[in-house]
Amino acid sequence: MPRPTGGVRTADAMHEAAAELFYLHGYEATSLRQVAARIDIQVGSLYNHINGKDDLLRNIMLGVMNDLLAAQRTALRGRTDVVDRLRAAIDCHIRFHAGKAREVFIGNSELRSLGDKDRRTVVAKRDQYEKVLRVLVEEAAAQGRADVVDTRLSVYAIVAIGTHVSTWYRPQGELSIDQIVAKNIVLCLRQLGVSADEIEAIEAASAVGA
Amino acid sequence: MPRPTGGVRTADAMHEAAAELFYLHGYEATSLRQVAARIDIQVGSLYNHINGKDDLLRNIMLGVMNDLLAAQRTALRGRTDVVDRLRAAIDCHIRFHAGKAREVFIGNSELRSLGDKDRRTVVAKRDQYEKVLRVLVEEAAAQGRADVVDTRLSVYAIVAIGTHVSTWYRPQGELSIDQIVAKNIVLCLRQLGVSADEIEAIEAASAVGA
DNA sequence: CCATGCTGAGCGGACGTTCGTTTGTTCGTC
DNA sequence: GACGAACAAACGAACGTCCGCTCAGCATGG
C-alpha cells in the first residue's frame, strides 16, 4: 500500500517507533525488523525514508539536543536577575528531562552508538548547554548571590539530577511534575549556596502559582 | 595450550576483558569473539568458564552490587552520630562510584540487558542500598540535624551525583578523588539542610587529613 | 592416566541492507 | 470524465556477514 500523502506520517511513525524501542531495549538490541513491525510495514520499506539504521539514532539524538538548547534559550529569555535566571534554567532542565524522559534517556545512554562525527556534534551541543549553566553559576558567585564550592561540580550536580529524573519520572507518580521541579530547584539553590532568604522568596513565588 | 593452574587466571581475564568491552561498547554491541580475542583464546573456549554470554553480565553486575553494599556497611561500621554516618555514606558513595567507574557504569546502563530474575535481584540490592541512605536522611531530619525538603528527592540527588561521577571521573583529572569527594559531600549536606556550622566542622576535619 | 582447558570447524539463525516488482495516487491531456 | 505517464512508497525475497553456541579432538600438568 503506497501512501503518497501518507509518506510523512510513515516517517514520523517510524521515528516514534524507533524512539520507543531504543528506549526500551537500547539501540544495538533493537532490530529494524522490530521497528518495521511496530508500524506494520516490511523492513525494506524503511529504506524509503532512511539511509541506514544509524539515521534513526542520529535524528533522535540531534533532535533532542536541539530541543533542549531551544528550551533553555526560551526559559532564559527576558530574565535579567542572575538568581532568577539560574532558577529558570534549573526549572527548564528538570522539566525537560521529565517531560522528554524517553528521548533524554536515549541521548544519555546511546552516545557511544553514534558515529564519530555525530557524537562530536552532540557532545558539542551538550557542552554548549552546560556552559550556559556554568556561566550563570559564575555570575551568581561573582555578584555574591551564591557561595559556590566548585563551579564544575555544582553544574554537574544539577545536570545529574536531570539525568536521574529521566530514569524514574512517570507522569502518574506520587509527586506532580511541578512539585518535583520546585523541590529540586530548592535542592540545587541550597547546594549553590544561595541564601535561605532568597530561596524562601522563590519558594513563596512558586507556591502562589500552585 | 591447556593451563591447568591457569584456569582461574583465564576466568579472571575473561571477566576483566568483558567488563572493559561492555564499558566501551555496551553489552549488546560486544561479541564473545571480541572478548575471546582480547585474552588470546578462541570463542568456544569461553564456554569452559561460562554457560552463556549472560553469565558475564550477571557476574559483573551482581559483583558490583555486592561490593557496593559491602563498602557501605564498612563505611558506616562503628559510627553513631547520624550526620557523621551520613557524611561517611556519601563519602563511600562518591568514592566507590569514582573508583569502580567502569563496573558502576555497566551496572547503571545495562540493567535492561539482564534477565528478569537477575534484574530483580540487582534492583532489590539497589533498593536496599538506597534505603540505608533514606533512613539516614530521615533520622537526621528527626533529630533536627537536617532540614529536609523531600527525603526521596534528596536521596535521589545523592545517588545521581555518584552515577554522574562514574561517567566522567578519570584518575588523571584536575581534581583529586579526595577533593571530588570532599566537595561533593559539602554539596550534599547543604542540599540536605545540614547547618553551615556542622558542614564547616566536617570540612575542617577533612582538611586536616589532606 | 585422566581431568582440565584450548582448538578449530561448524551449526542455525538473526542481522542490516539491497533491489526488482507491485501498488496506489497525482496530474496533465484530450 | 477517461486515459496514461510519472512517481512515491511498500512488498518480499535474497544477499553476505556476524552472532551465540556446540562439540569432537588434542595437549598438558598433577
Side-chain angles (χ1 to χ4, degrees):
Chain A
M1 290 181 204
R3 298 154 201 162
T5 57
V8 177
R9 284 180 211 164
T10 298
D12 284 350
M14 179 187 64
H15 282 103
E16 161 64 23
E20 182 70 12
L21 289 167
F22 291 172
Y23 174 66
L24 290 174
H25 312 302
Y27 173 74
E28 295 283 353
T30 300
S31 75
L32 290 183
R33 282 166 177 82
Q34 289 177 277
V35 176
R38 205 165 239 258
I39 56 174
D40 286 315
I41 63 172
Q42 299 301 310
V43 208
S45 308
L46 295 176
Y47 285 79
N48 288 316
H49 308 280
I50 52 171
N51 291 321
K53 188 186 180 186
D54 51 339
D55 273 10
L56 289 172
L57 186 59
R58 181 185 9 256
N59 291 340
I60 292 170
M61 295 196 65
L62 292 180
V64 72
M65 289 312 297
N66 287 335
D67 289 351
L68 180 60
L69 283 168
Q72 191 184 54
R73 272 194 299 271
T74 302
L76 293 179
R77 186 169 299 144
R79 300 182 190 276
T80 52
D81 178 79
V82 68
V83 171
D84 184 48
R85 285 169 65 81
L86 255 180
R87 190 211 54 75
I90 297 168
D91 185 313
C92 161
H93 180 70
I94 308 292
R95 206 174 290 276
F96 189 92
H97 278 71
K100 296 224 176 188
R102 198 182 59 182
E103 286 78 4
V104 168
F105 180 78
I106 296 170
N108 280 315
S109 57
E110 298 293 357
L111 246 190
R112 62 183 166 199
S113 303
L114 233 40
D116 271 12
K117 184 163 166 291
D118 295 318
R119 185 172 54 246
R120 270 194 290 271
T121 304
V122 169
V123 169
K125 285 177 189 290
R126 195 183 61 185
D127 288 348
Q128 183 185 343
Y129 178 79
E130 288 183 5
K131 185 177 180 183
V132 172
L133 294 177
R134 202 173 65 237
V135 169
L136 281 176
V137 169
E138 281 167 354
E139 283 177 3
Q143 292 184 23
R145 306 280 294 281
D147 175 25
V148 178
V149 173
D150 184 287
T151 303
R152 189 161 65 107
L153 292 184
S154 277
V155 169
Y156 281 0
I158 296 169
V159 169
I161 289 178
T163 303
H164 193 250
V165 163
S166 78
T167 67
W168 59 261
Y169 173 74
R170 297 292 173 272
Q172 64 273 24
E174 64 180 41
L175 284 179
S176 74
I177 177 66
D178 288 330
Q179 287 175 307
I180 292 169
V181 169
K183 288 170 191 287
N184 271 315
I185 287 174
V186 174
L187 298 196
C188 289
L189 294 181
R190 277 184 178 183
Q191 168 262 103
L192 288 166
V194 172
S195 76
D197 288 350
E198 283 216 61
I199 295 178
E200 262 178 49
I202 287 171
E203 276 189 280
S206 82
V208 171
Chain B
M1 291 178 207
R3 299 155 199 162
T5 56
V8 176
R9 285 181 208 165
T10 298
D12 284 350
M14 178 187 66
H15 281 103
E16 161 64 25
E20 182 69 13
L21 289 168
F22 291 172
Y23 174 67
L24 290 174
H25 312 302
Y27 173 75
E28 295 283 352
T30 300
S31 74
L32 291 183
R33 281 167 177 83
Q34 289 178 276
V35 176
R38 205 164 240 259
I39 56 174
D40 286 314
I41 63 173
Q42 300 301 311
V43 208
S45 308
L46 295 176
Y47 285 81
N48 288 315
H49 308 279
I50 53 170
N51 291 320
K53 187 186 179 185
D54 52 339
D55 273 9
L56 288 173
L57 186 60
R58 184 187 3 259
N59 291 339
I60 292 170
M61 295 195 65
L62 292 179
V64 72
M65 289 311 297
N66 287 335
D67 289 350
L68 180 60
L69 284 168
Q72 191 184 54
R73 272 194 299 272
T74 301
L76 294 179
R77 186 168 300 144
R79 298 181 191 277
T80 53
D81 179 80
V82 69
V83 171
D84 184 48
R85 285 168 65 82
L86 255 180
R87 188 211 55 74
I90 297 168
D91 185 313
C92 161
H93 180 71
I94 308 292
R95 205 175 290 275
F96 189 92
H97 279 71
K100 295 225 178 189
R102 199 182 59 183
E103 285 77 4
V104 168
F105 180 78
I106 297 170
N108 280 315
S109 57
E110 298 293 357
L111 245 189
R112 62 183 166 198
S113 303
L114 232 41
D116 272 11
K117 184 163 167 292
D118 294 319
R119 184 171 56 246
R120 269 194 290 271
T121 304
V122 169
V123 168
K125 284 177 188 292
R126 194 183 63 186
D127 289 347
Q128 182 185 345
Y129 178 79
E130 288 183 4
K131 186 178 181 182
V132 172
L133 294 176
R134 202 172 65 238
V135 169
L136 281 176
V137 170
E138 281 166 355
E139 283 177 3
Q143 292 184 23
R145 306 281 294 281
D147 175 25
V148 178
V149 173
D150 184 287
T151 302
R152 188 162 64 108
L153 292 184
S154 277
V155 170
Y156 281 180
I158 296 169
V159 170
I161 290 177
T163 303
H164 194 250
V165 163
S166 77
T167 68
W168 59 262
Y169 174 74
R170 298 290 173 273
Q172 63 273 26
E174 64 180 41
L175 285 179
S176 73
I177 177 66
D178 288 331
Q179 287 174 307
I180 292 169
V181 168
K183 288 169 191 287
N184 271 315
I185 287 174
V186 175
L187 299 195
C188 289
L189 293 180
R190 277 184 177 183
Q191 169 262 105
L192 288 166
V194 171
S195 77
D197 288 351
E198 283 215 61
I199 295 177
E200 261 179 49
I202 287 172
E203 276 189 280
S206 82
V208 171

